[in-house]
């Protein structure tokens, strides 16, 4: 049946596979390499932090109970397992507290997918250099993000989680590059991974399984590369097949030009942003705008009568649903909760996402003062402004203060610097690593592209840490 439906873009899978295999390290711009190294450091931090959380522990326990060939580390535990199970656990950890990096257009968080895959393979094969790792990360990002771009926001609005679906390609291309697959094998690896990706967005309203979407995508990508290495075949036109292909099935209204236009010239891997709050990216501009009003106007919560927020349709669908304190995931994905916390506590941090905090009666009582609606002007600007927000605060004295944030802090358009990401890293791992070890890991990440191998990095992240963190991050 698939042959009766025209291809969306003939040979797209083949061409992306060739790109992932044939591109040399020296062809990647220096600024893109620097961005990916920063993403690598951020990924180490969020994975180590996430390794202590209860939902990651549950996955860890199952992997330990099953048992298998012990070749790759389960971070922070001192234990090893198979390649596929290692990335299952470590990538679940990376997405365990909504702090992994974010590529806005594709809606993919690449570091929680690719960093565990790369270091697992580097542990198995010590001949892999730091340059090999950075190159594989960059190319894995590029392939997966371009596929996510082509899927457009329609994939998300159809109810699928980009991290679990498009994300499988990030891991497959990263792993396949480090396994030195040839172009045909890489094409099959993509063809296997795309058929294994999954994840449904209803998980955002309270289920732990949202965290697992990253782990399963990374595991699918690793398994796909391992199978392709052995000659196992996948769907050769997985991306572009007119019937039953990735884009035709998950997206249905894709923009296939985003797959190959500008390839090797316009690097999506260089457009990855960072999260500066531990919650869904779609509410960050609203939080930035509200915080600006509260700080600049010295406005205490007692003087806030009403908060009105305008946002794009996707952000509204994603975050503006009626809040109930059913779990930490739900709180992290909800705009009403985030704005209430910002108003009453002056900031939003990991401490605001515990089982006790998310059910705080004061927070729940404040929420009716918040009104959220789709802003037609923001919506008319299209997907590049899907994170934008307009916030107006009406005070008890009748005054109104307004702010518009088109690009959240941490986005490529409103960037943070290395020092900001290093501070975030310090907060994430401060209770897990000695100060000197934290500094060493930051140094090694900054020099990753010139390291002979990643052994020292692996030794640090693999060694036993505190694995119990209750429900608090």
């Amino acid at each position: 049946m698939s042959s009766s439906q025209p291809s969306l873009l003939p040979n797209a899978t083949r061409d992306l596979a060739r790109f992932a295999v044939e591109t040399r390290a020296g062809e990647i711009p220096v600024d893109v390499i620097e961005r990916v190294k920063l993403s690598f450091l951020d990924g180490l931090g969020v994975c180590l932090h996430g390794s202590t959380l209860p939902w990651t522990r549950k996955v860890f326990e199952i992997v330990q109970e099953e048992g298998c060939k012990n070749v790759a580390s389960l971070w922070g535990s001192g234990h090893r397992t198979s390649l596929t199970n290692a990335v299952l656990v470590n990538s679940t950890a990376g997405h365990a507290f909504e702090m992994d990096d974010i590529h806005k257009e594709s809606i993919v968080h690449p570091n929680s997918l690719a960093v565990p895959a790369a270091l697992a393979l580097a542990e198995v094969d010590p001949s892999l250099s730091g340059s090999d790792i950075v190159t594989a990360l960059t190319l894995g990002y590029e392939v997966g993000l371009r596929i996510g771009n082509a899927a457009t926001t329609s994939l998300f609005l159809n109810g699928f989680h980009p991290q679990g679906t498009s994300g499988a390609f990030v891991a497959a291309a990263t792993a396949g590059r480090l396994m030195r697959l040839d172009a045909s094998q890489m094409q099959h690896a993509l063809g296997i991974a795309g058929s294994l990706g999954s994840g449904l967005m209803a998980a955002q309203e309270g289920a732990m399984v949202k965290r697992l979407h990253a782990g399963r995508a990374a595991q699918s990508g690793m398994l796909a590369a391992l199978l392709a290495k052995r000659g196992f075949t996948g769907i050769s036109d997985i991306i572009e097949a007119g019937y039953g292909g990735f884009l035709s099935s998950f997206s249905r209204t894709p923009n296939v030009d985003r797959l190959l236009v500008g390839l090797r010239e316009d690097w999506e891997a260089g457009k990855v942003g960072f999260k500066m709050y531990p919650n869904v990216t779609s509410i960050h501009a609203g939080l930035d705008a509200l915080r600006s009003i509260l700080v600049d106007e010295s406005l205490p919560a007692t003087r806030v009568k009403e908060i009105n927020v305008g946002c794009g349709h996707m952000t509204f669908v994603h975050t503006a649903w009626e809040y109930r304190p059913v779990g930490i995931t739900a709180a992290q994905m909800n705009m009403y909760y985030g704005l209430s916390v910002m108003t009453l506590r002056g900031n939003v941090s990991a401490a605001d996402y515990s089982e006790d905090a998310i059910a705080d009666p004061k927070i729940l009582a404040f929420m009716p003062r918040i009104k959220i609606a789709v802003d037609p002007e923001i919506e008319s600007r299209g997907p590049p402004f899907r994170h934008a927000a307009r916030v107006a605060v009406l005070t008890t004295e009748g005054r109104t203060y307004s702010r518009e944030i088109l690009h959240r802090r941490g986005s490529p358009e409103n960037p943070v610097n290395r020092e900001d990401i290093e501070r975030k890293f310090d907060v994430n791992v401060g209770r897990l690593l000695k100060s000197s070890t934290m500094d060493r890991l930051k140094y090694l990440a900054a020099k990753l592209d010139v390291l002979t191998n990643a052994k020292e990095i692996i030794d640090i992240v693999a060694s036993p840490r505190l694995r119990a963190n209750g429900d608090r991050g």
Side-chain angles (χ1 to χ4, degrees):
M1 184 174 180
S2 60
S3 61
S4 67
Q5 303 294 322
S7 172
L8 303 180
L9 184 67
N11 298 318
T13 306
R14 182 202 67 185
D15 292 347
L16 284 174
R18 288 178 177 176
F19 163 78
V21 167
E22 297 171 0
T23 303
R24 299 185 300 274
E27 297 178 65
I28 303 172
V30 173
D31 63 319
V32 175
I33 292 293
E34 291 301 311
R35 188 78 174 186
V36 171
K37 288 193 298 181
L38 196 56
S39 177
F40 175 79
L41 175 66
D42 187 57
L44 295 179
V46 299
C47 287
L48 285 172
H49 176 90
S51 73
T52 69
L53 298 176
W55 30 91
T56 307
R57 269 201 327 274
K58 294 178 189 301
V59 181
F60 168 86
E61 289 164 1
I62 285 179
V63 165
Q64 285 296 95
E65 287 174 7
E66 286 188 347
C68 50
K69 185 177 180 181
N70 298 325
V71 296
S73 293
L74 295 163
W75 294 4
S77 74
H79 295 282
R80 288 183 174 182
T81 185
S82 67
L83 280 167
T84 56
N85 278 346
V87 295
L88 173 67
V89 176
N90 296 334
S91 287
T92 297
H95 197 56
F97 211 67
E98 296 298 323
M99 291 193 291
D100 38 353
D101 59 5
I102 175 70
H103 182 265
K104 180 169 59 179
E105 186 177 356
S106 65
I107 326 175
V108 169
H109 312 269
N111 66 5
S112 61
L113 298 158
V115 174
L119 287 188
L121 288 165
E123 188 170 2
V124 171
D125 182 3
S127 73
L128 292 171
S129 69
S131 177
D132 292 331
I133 293 169
V134 174
T135 301
L137 291 173
T138 305
L139 297 175
Y141 282 26
E142 193 70 20
V143 169
L145 299 180
R146 283 178 169 270
I147 295 170
N149 288 351
T152 75
T153 57
S154 62
L155 178 145
F156 176 94
L157 293 172
N158 285 337
F160 298 109
H161 189 191
Q163 187 72 354
T165 51
S166 306
F169 294 109
V170 175
T174 300
R177 173 72 183 211
L178 289 171
M179 290 182 199
R180 303 180 179 92
L181 301 187
D182 63 29
S184 176
Q185 291 170 328
M186 182 67 85
Q187 186 172 351
H188 285 297
L190 297 179
I192 299 165
S195 200
L196 297 179
S198 63
L200 297 171
M201 279 311 305
Q204 71 179 12
E205 297 186 29
M208 289 182 185
V209 73
K210 182 179 183 293
R211 326 296 195 174
L212 186 60
H213 292 172
R216 284 290 286 169
Q219 185 184 50
S220 295
M222 180 69 79
L223 178 61
L226 289 167
L227 287 169
K229 183 79 171 177
R230 291 175 176 264
F232 193 94
T233 60
I235 302 169
S236 61
D237 60 346
I238 183 72
I239 300 166
E240 71 273 17
Y243 169 78
F246 183 81
L247 295 178
S248 59
S249 299
F250 284 100
S251 173
R252 297 200 291 271
T253 55
N255 179 2
V256 294
D257 287 344
R258 300 298 291 126
L259 290 170
L260 301 176
V261 172
L263 190 65
R264 294 186 173 86
E265 297 172 359
D266 184 14
W267 288 82
E268 297 300 318
K271 301 174 186 177
V272 175
F274 300 96
K275 286 191 174 187
M276 306 313 290
Y277 300 106
N279 47 37
V280 63
T281 322
S282 297
I283 72 173
H284 287 197
L287 293 174
D288 288 342
L290 178 57
R291 188 173 190 277
S292 174
I293 293 170
L294 298 174
V295 172
D296 293 350
E297 307 302 335
S298 300
L299 197 62
T302 53
R303 291 175 53 206
V304 175
K305 181 178 181 180
E306 185 174 290
I307 299 173
N308 288 281
V309 180
C311 60
H313 172 68
M314 184 171 170
T315 290
F316 183 83
V317 170
H318 196 7
T319 70
W321 32 274
E322 182 180 356
Y323 177 75
R324 293 178 296 117
V326 294
I328 292 171
T329 303
Q332 289 178 304
M333 306 300 289
N334 189 273
M335 191 184 299
Y336 292 103
Y337 179 81
L339 294 174
S340 296
V341 169
M342 179 65 78
T343 306
L344 294 174
R345 299 176 186 164
N347 202 353
V348 180
S349 70
D352 298 305
Y353 294 100
S354 69
E355 292 294 350
D356 290 336
I358 65 171
D360 184 340
K362 294 179 181 178
I363 297 294
L364 300 179
F366 186 85
M367 287 183 190
R369 303 189 199 184
I370 302 171
K371 313 297 180 186
I372 305 172
V374 174
D375 184 303
E377 200 279 327
I378 289 178
E379 179 64 17
S380 71
R381 291 171 177 251
F385 293 89
R386 69 179 183 86
H387 288 160
R390 288 175 170 152
V391 175
V393 176
L394 175 65
T395 70
T396 53
E397 313 90 83
R399 300 191 64 179
T400 299
Y401 299 101
S402 301
R403 297 287 189 280
E404 177 186 77
I405 300 290
L406 297 180
H407 303 290
R408 65 178 185 85
R409 182 170 178 262
S411 66
E413 300 87 355
N414 183 13
V416 293
N417 56 35
R418 172 170 290 278
E419 289 71 25
D420 293 313
I421 299 305
E422 289 184 346
R423 279 192 292 272
K424 176 185 173 183
F425 175 83
D426 291 345
V427 170
N428 279 332
V429 304
R431 67 184 184 80
L432 303 175
L433 302 176
K434 295 179 181 178
S435 178
S436 59
T437 306
M438 289 162 53
D439 290 342
R440 183 62 179 169
L441 205 47
K442 287 183 284 189
Y443 172 83
L444 292 169
K447 298 292 185 181
L448 179 60
D449 54 329
V450 296
L451 297 181
T452 302
N453 56 52
K455 183 180 185 305
E456 188 174 357
I457 295 173
I458 294 165
D459 288 345
I460 292 172
V461 301
S463 58
R465 311 290 173 205
L466 178 68
R467 288 202 63 82
N469 195 27
D471 286 330
R472 183 178 179 276

